[in-house]
Amino acid sequence: MGYLRIFNPHPVKTGDGAQAEDLLLEVHLRDPILQVEVGKFVSGTEMLHLAVLHSRKLCVYSVSGTLGNVEHGNQYQIKLMYEHNLQRTACNMTYGSFGGVKGRDLICIQSMDGMLMVFEQESYAFGRFLPGSLLPGPLAYSSRTDSFITVSSCQQVESYKYQVLAFATDADKRQETEQQKLGSGKRLVVDWTLNIGEQALDICIVSFNQSASSVFVLGERNFFCLKDNGQIRFMKKLDCSPSCFLPYCSVSEGTMNTLIGNHNNMLHIYQDVTLKWATQLPHIPVAVRVGCLHDLKGVIVTLSDDGHLQCSYLGTDPSLFQAPKVESRELHYDELDIELKELQKIIKDVNKSQGIWPVTEREDDLKVSAIVSPNVDSVSQATDVEVGIDLIPSVTVKVTLQNRLALQKAKLSVYVQPPLVLTCDQFTFEFMAPEMSRTVAFSVYLKGSYTPPELEGNAVVSYSRPSDRNPDGIPRVIQCKFRLPLKLICLPGQPSKTASHKLTIDTNKSPVSLLSLFPGFASQSEDDQVNVMGFRFLGGSRVTLLASKTSQRYRIQSEQFEDLWLITNELIIRLQEYFEKQGIKDFACSFSGSMPLQEYFELIDHHFELRINGEKLEELLSERAVQFRAIQRRLLTRFKDKTPAPLQHLDTLLDGTYKQVIALADAVEENQDNLFQSFTKLRSATHLVILLIGLWQKLSPDQVAILEAAFLPLQQDTQELGWEETVDAAISHLLKTCLSKSSKEQALNLSSQLNIPKDTSRLKKHITLLCDRLAKGGRLCLSTDATAPQIMVMPGGCTTIPESDLEERSIEQDSTELFTNHKHLNLETPLPEVLPLQGVSE
């Protein structure tokens, strides 16, 4: 920005900012400043002056100060002594007593095109082009050898004698012919070169004494120490990318210290190649120097690229504390063992008596309860619905929060299954006083044209409970579930005598009148409605429920398989509530029909087909978008051309591609909506299959929970992680552990990566195998140790889990093997399991 600032920093206390009197002088020189040097640059005097290098100008200033009467009265000013306007753009400069002159310093400037320009104070001396120069590198002057050292674009360290530069061909005659060159001067010859194999950031020359000096070169990955003749004294490979360095003489004789700053905000101090100190900086240093400020020696001054100047020193403030001597005593290991066992017993007793978190106290902090209105709202709160009927009912839910202690930042979040939506799903309470009760109300209604997989909602409260050690509060979460009424998504409908899908639920009690189970869905005037009842979902599908007059059975039938779930689940729940009110505790339901796996597999195939279709559409959309951008670039090039050329139907192609992109984007959105609806239907069907398996095999609630965790791992389906591969991995794990046939199956390794499968055949075979093994006495458990209940399977009763798709057997082969093994079991002397099935048939 062209600002030149001179600072005289003073020590400040920690936390104080910079003081105004630290800045001695600030001048705006208008042109960007490339480099600043101090030396004897003015003729007739040996006083130090300031040389400032701009891109097209070299200026030399004198800095002077005027003593004031008060502390803040000192004034500093800068005066221009002379300037040189440069014909070429400057890159960097160096100075020194070139040629051994006494009492003055000369300046050498390197231009961007590789020309060295030498100035003898107020006058221009000469200019020379470096041979083969492409890009300028760092430049330094060695007074002991009277030579300039730089790093060329060939990644070589090069040294040029000043005398050779002075007597070489003038730069102004560079374009002359070869014959004129021979008569006008000598050819510029390099003194020595060294290939370092990388670009250099900086060069610095340090002298031990009058007889020896070292050339330090900082590369991108290494720093080198060279002798005067170009031989390597040592080199060091750096771990981090360096930003600046500074070599200086060490206290130890014959060694050199080097400060190296890197881009990890670190400053490393090396003694030759040994790291002696590492310190953290608040910024990335771009320049580092060592000086003496206010009688404090060894002050390290660093500068960041955003102008942050810092003065620091190595080491820490000394501590005067001395630890007192501890009286040594003999150790009695037997006593220590007894004391350790007593302490372990105390810890064990405490852990047994109470947990880390007192449960009662945690539960008493906040109580959450939800009350669902038994009737629909008189004025429906449904807005922006997609269901194609006139009136969509809504139900009001009230959630009450009762807290015993003061709570902070309580946030209530309510979740329901789509397409059910809430009028408001987030409530925030900044502070709740002790013994305070807060109640919020919201409405639930159906927005989509399909049924939700569940009628359960969940209210989750997250809050912070302040404590003595943590005033901000300890975060905690509590939740409360509530059940929505069936009338929210269903209306009374006309029963249907025919249906594509039927289920029969058996009970151990006499049938109950459907009027008492579903009072809001039937009319008492018609006698035939007592045992037959129709339901019509808001989406349009119908379900019929029939109760047998003679047997203890109930039949549910519908045109859609997934629609059976909600009515079947509602029937079982209402039957259980009915008999509990009657005081009957041994009521049980069962299912003895065939498992409807084929209908379930059709829904799986439809969902998987939509996933594959979505991938194809997205890939095609990506291709059309790339084509659209390519046509845009071509048209833009044509429009920018000064001589207009015909478009060659590029505009027509652009318009057609745009229409294709829009059509594909609409198709992707439509496919995503269809996929979401298909996943919702698949979840409903999965709930139904789990319910039927539980009734079929009389599974305990824990075993049903394992099935739900395996079949319903995802709340939302995505292209990256889909339902099919996740469920296949979970079922394979169950077949490999608790439902395994032998130890050989337990040793099989499952794939750790979940990728979308090629088809659903493997998943369907695993689901069939799961049902088959449950039918043969297998039981689900999570324990994998030796004490876990293992399945006892008869020889040949189940097919082993295939290790690859090539080894999978068909379902028909399974049934054939099962039939053959039944013959095998009727033999008086059973054959070993390892014999082939053909031998059994014989």
Side-chain angles (χ1 to χ4, degrees):
M1 295 175 62
Y3 282 97
L4 175 67
R5 297 182 178 92
I6 301 177
F7 291 91
N8 182 22
H10 294 77
V12 295
K13 295 181 180 179
T14 304
D16 295 345
Q19 301 177 9
E21 59 268 19
D22 289 351
L23 180 61
L24 301 183
L25 179 66
E26 178 178 330
V27 182
H28 189 203
L29 302 180
R30 296 183 180 86
D31 296 322
I33 299 172
L34 302 183
Q35 194 173 342
V36 175
E37 298 290 352
V38 175
K40 305 171 184 178
F41 301 136
V42 178
S43 59
T45 177
E46 293 190 7
M47 293 180 64
L48 297 179
H49 288 74
L50 190 65
V52 180
L53 179 64
H54 303 284
S55 57
R56 284 280 184 167
K57 188 165 56 175
L58 172 66
C59 302
V60 176
Y61 298 92
S62 66
V63 182
S64 58
T66 303
L67 189 62
N69 295 326
V70 294
E71 181 182 359
H72 302 288
N74 295 341
Q75 296 182 0
Y76 294 86
Q77 57 187 358
I78 190 171
K79 179 182 179 182
L80 177 64
M81 303 303 294
Y82 63 88
E83 66 179 21
H84 292 290
N85 292 316
L86 307 178
Q87 300 298 321
R88 302 177 182 276
T89 303
C91 174
N92 51 25
M93 69 175 176
T94 185
Y95 73 97
S97 53
F98 305 159
V101 296
K102 304 292 184 181
R104 55 179 177 159
D105 290 326
L106 281 64
I107 298 176
C108 178
I109 300 176
Q110 182 178 205
S111 66
M112 293 297 292
D113 55 356
M115 179 181 177
L116 297 183
M117 298 171 284
V118 178
F119 294 89
E120 294 184 3
Q121 296 180 341
E122 291 87 347
S123 60
Y124 171 71
F126 59 86
R128 300 289 184 265
F129 277 103
L130 297 178
S133 175
L134 180 62
L135 293 174
L139 181 67
Y141 172 73
S142 174
S143 59
R144 208 186 74 82
T145 59
D146 193 25
S147 57
F148 296 98
I149 300 173
T150 184
V151 178
S152 66
S153 54
C154 299
Q155 300 180 351
Q156 290 182 347
V157 183
E158 300 177 350
S159 174
Y160 296 92
K161 292 283 189 180
Y162 176 74
Q163 297 295 334
V164 176
L165 286 170
F167 290 101
T169 306
D170 192 8
D172 298 333
K173 302 177 182 178
R174 186 182 186 184
Q175 305 298 330
E176 294 180 357
T177 61
E178 189 67 28
Q179 290 80 7
Q180 291 174 328
K181 276 188 176 183
L182 293 175
S184 60
K186 294 182 179 180
R187 181 168 170 264
L188 182 57
V189 180
V190 65
D191 186 24
W192 54 262
T193 62
L194 175 67
N195 191 345
I196 60 173
E198 57 183 312
Q199 296 295 334
L201 302 179
D202 199 1
I203 295 178
C204 191
I205 299 172
V206 179
S207 298
F208 292 103
N209 46 50
Q210 295 297 327
S211 61
S213 63
S214 294
V215 179
F216 286 85
V217 181
L218 180 65
E220 297 173 328
R221 294 173 297 275
N222 306 275
F223 84 90
F224 305 84
C225 177
L226 313 179
K227 297 180 181 179
D228 291 335
N229 57 2
Q231 295 179 357
I232 295 181
R233 193 187 301 274
F234 62 83
M235 65 172 288
K236 174 67 177 177
K237 181 176 178 61
L238 302 175
D239 297 331
C240 305
S241 176
S243 59
C244 61
F245 87 137
L246 176 70
Y248 60 95
C249 293
S250 172
V251 178
S252 303
E253 187 176 352
T255 61
M256 295 293 293
N257 285 0
T258 309
L259 293 171
I260 298 181
N262 57 42
H263 287 86
N264 289 353
N265 296 14
M266 296 289 292
L267 187 67
H268 289 172
I269 294 92
Y270 290 90
Q271 188 176 65
D272 288 347
V273 296
T274 305
L275 180 63
K276 289 293 185 180
W277 195 279
T279 182
Q280 187 80 32
L281 294 176
H283 55 257
I284 299 175
V286 296
V288 58
R289 292 292 184 270
V290 176
C292 179
L293 296 175
H294 302 283
D295 298 329
L296 183 61
K297 297 180 180 180
V299 176
I300 299 175
V301 184
T302 54
L303 178 68
S304 70
D305 56 355
D306 58 355
H308 184 87
L309 191 67
Q310 176 174 305
C311 300
S312 50
Y313 64 93
L314 295 181
T316 56
D317 293 329
S319 175
L320 302 179
F321 172 75
Q322 286 186 348
K325 293 183 179 181
V326 181
E327 296 182 0
S328 60
R329 59 177 180 177
E330 296 181 0
L331 297 178
H332 300 283
Y333 293 101
D334 296 337
E335 296 178 1
L336 291 177
D337 289 340
I338 295 173
E339 184 180 357
L340 179 61
K341 289 180 181 179
E342 291 177 355
L343 293 175
Q344 288 177 342
K345 184 180 179 181
I346 294 174
I347 295 172
K348 190 175 181 180
D349 294 339
V350 170
N351 290 336
K352 282 184 178 180
S353 61
Q354 63 179 13
I356 299 177
W357 298 101
V359 180
T360 56
E361 182 183 351
R362 180 176 60 186
E363 292 178 350
D364 291 339
D365 288 346
L366 180 67
K367 291 183 179 180
V368 183
S369 59
I371 301 176
V372 181
S373 175
N375 301 317
V376 297
D377 299 337
S378 57
V379 178
S380 177
Q381 302 297 320
T383 58
D384 190 23
V385 294
E386 301 172 2
V387 186
I389 65 174
D390 296 333
L391 183 61
I392 300 297
S394 63
V395 173
T396 300
V397 181
K398 294 182 179 180
V399 178
T400 303
L401 281 68
Q402 295 178 341
N403 58 302
R404 183 175 58 87
L405 303 174
L407 302 179
Q408 298 176 358
K409 302 175 184 177
K411 183 178 181 181
L412 170 64
S413 302
V414 187
Y415 304 92
V416 292
Q417 296 291 336
L420 294 174
V421 294
L422 303 163
T423 54
C424 184
D425 59 353
Q426 300 283 345
F427 302 90
T428 304
F429 312 99
E430 289 296 332
F431 179 76
M432 295 182 66
E435 304 298 336
M436 184 178 179
S437 177
R438 299 287 294 271
T439 302
V440 295
F442 51 88
S443 296
V444 188
Y445 61 91
L446 184 71
K447 185 176 182 180
S449 59
Y450 51 98
T451 57
E454 290 179 284
L455 285 177
E456 279 192 353
N458 195 10
V460 180
V461 181
S462 60
Y463 62 96
S464 297
R465 178 176 176 269
S467 63
D468 297 336
R469 295 184 178 181
N470 191 353
D472 295 335
I474 302 171
R476 288 182 178 175
V477 176
I478 190 171
Q479 63 178 348
C480 170
K481 292 186 177 182
F482 55 90
R483 182 165 184 81
L484 298 171
L486 184 62
K487 61 182 71 175
L488 183 64
I489 61 168
C490 188
L491 298 175
Q494 187 67 27
S496 175
K497 294 183 179 180
T498 60
S500 303
H501 305 280
K502 301 177 182 179
L503 287 178
T504 301
I505 302 298
D506 300 328
T507 63
N508 58 354
K509 300 297 178 184
S510 58
V512 182
S513 173
L514 297 182
L515 282 174
S516 56
L517 291 179
F518 299 93
F521 290 89
S523 175
Q524 283 184 325
S525 61
E526 302 179 6
D527 294 338
D528 59 340
Q529 289 291 324
V530 175
N531 295 319
V532 180
M533 187 171 292
F535 302 89
R536 180 172 62 86
F537 289 112
L538 296 181
S541 57
R542 298 176 182 271
V543 180
T544 302
L545 175 61
L546 299 93
S548 175
K549 295 180 180 180
T550 57
S551 62
Q552 303 168 351
R553 294 182 175 181
Y554 300 87
R555 171 173 288 184
I556 308 99
Q557 56 188 27
S558 174
E559 293 296 330
Q560 303 293 333
F561 176 68
E562 64 274 5
D563 291 336
L564 299 174
W565 152 245
L566 287 177
I567 302 301
T568 305
N569 188 47
E570 196 74 20
L571 171 66
I572 295 176
I573 291 176
R574 296 196 180 198
L575 281 173
Q576 292 173 346
E577 292 176 350
Y578 175 82
F579 284 108
E580 284 180 1
K581 290 180 180 178
Q582 301 293 329
I584 301 174
K585 298 182 179 180
D586 59 345
F587 170 77
C589 298
S590 60
F591 175 72
S592 57
S594 60
M595 193 62 58
L597 292 182
Q598 194 58 40
E599 295 86 347
Y600 184 49
F601 291 161
E602 290 177 1
L603 289 174
I604 294 176
D605 290 336
H606 179 62
H607 175 262
F608 185 74
E609 182 183 351
L610 289 175
R611 284 187 64 194
I612 298 297
N613 190 33
E615 282 193 348
K616 293 179 180 178
L617 287 174
E618 289 183 0
E619 184 178 354
L620 196 59
L621 178 61
S622 177
E623 293 177 359
R624 290 296 180 269
V626 171
Q627 175 181 322
F628 184 73
R629 290 191 293 269
I631 299 172
Q632 278 184 322
R633 285 194 295 267
R634 292 240 180 143
L635 275 176
L636 187 61
T637 305
R638 295 287 177 90
F639 291 148
K640 284 185 176 180
D641 197 357
K642 294 182 179 179
T643 57
L647 297 179
Q648 297 178 346
H649 302 290
L650 281 177
D651 53 344
T652 307
L653 189 59
L654 182 71
D655 183 61
T657 307
Y658 174 75
K659 291 179 179 179
Q660 288 182 358
V661 169
I662 296 299
L664 284 172
D666 293 340
V668 168
E669 288 186 354
E670 182 181 359
N671 187 80
Q672 287 177 348
D673 294 339
N674 295 335
L675 181 64
F676 186 79
Q677 292 188 23
S678 175
F679 183 63
T680 305
K681 295 178 180 179
L682 180 61
R683 290 185 61 195
S684 299
T686 304
H687 278 292
L688 180 61
V689 170
I690 294 173
L691 175 66
L692 295 180
I693 292 176
L695 297 178
W696 174 43
Q697 291 298 318
K698 297 180 175 55
L699 300 181
S700 64
D702 292 338
Q703 293 175 327
V704 174
I706 294 175
L707 276 184
E708 290 180 348
F711 278 88
L712 296 169
L714 301 176
Q715 288 292 327
Q716 187 175 1
D717 203 20
T718 60
Q719 289 290 347
E720 293 78 13
L721 182 62
W723 182 86
E724 287 80 6
E725 56 266 28
T726 312
V727 173
D728 189 25
I731 295 178
S732 300
H733 176 73
L734 291 178
L735 294 174
K736 189 177 82 77
T737 54
C738 58
L739 295 179
S740 62
K741 177 184 174 183
S742 62
S743 59
K744 180 180 178 182
E745 289 185 1
Q746 295 182 5
L748 297 179
N749 292 323
L750 299 177
S751 176
S752 60
Q753 294 182 352
L754 295 181
N755 300 322
I756 183 170
K758 296 180 181 179
D759 52 34
T760 58
S761 59
R762 182 184 178 90
L763 171 63
K764 292 188 287 189
K765 290 178 181 180
H766 283 171
I767 294 176
T768 307
L769 189 58
L770 174 74
C771 297
D772 184 42
R773 294 196 176 178
L774 286 175
K776 291 180 172 62
R779 284 298 174 259
L780 298 168
C781 64
L782 295 178
S783 179
T784 57
D785 55 5
T787 60
Q790 294 295 328
I791 173 174
M792 299 301 294
V793 184
M794 293 178 291
C798 293
T799 307
T800 58
I801 305 176
E803 296 188 28
S804 65
D805 293 337
L806 298 177
E807 300 175 11
E808 292 187 354
R809 301 178 181 178
S810 63
I811 304 301
E812 290 80 4
Q813 289 176 340
D814 257 356
S815 60
T816 305
E817 291 178 8
L818 187 60
F819 176 74
T820 309
N821 286 323
H822 278 249
K823 291 182 181 180
H824 158 69
L825 291 172
N826 291 329
L827 297 177
E828 294 181 1
T829 305
L831 297 175
E833 184 184 356
V834 295
L835 290 180
L837 292 176
Q838 290 82 355
V840 177
S841 299
E842 294 169 2

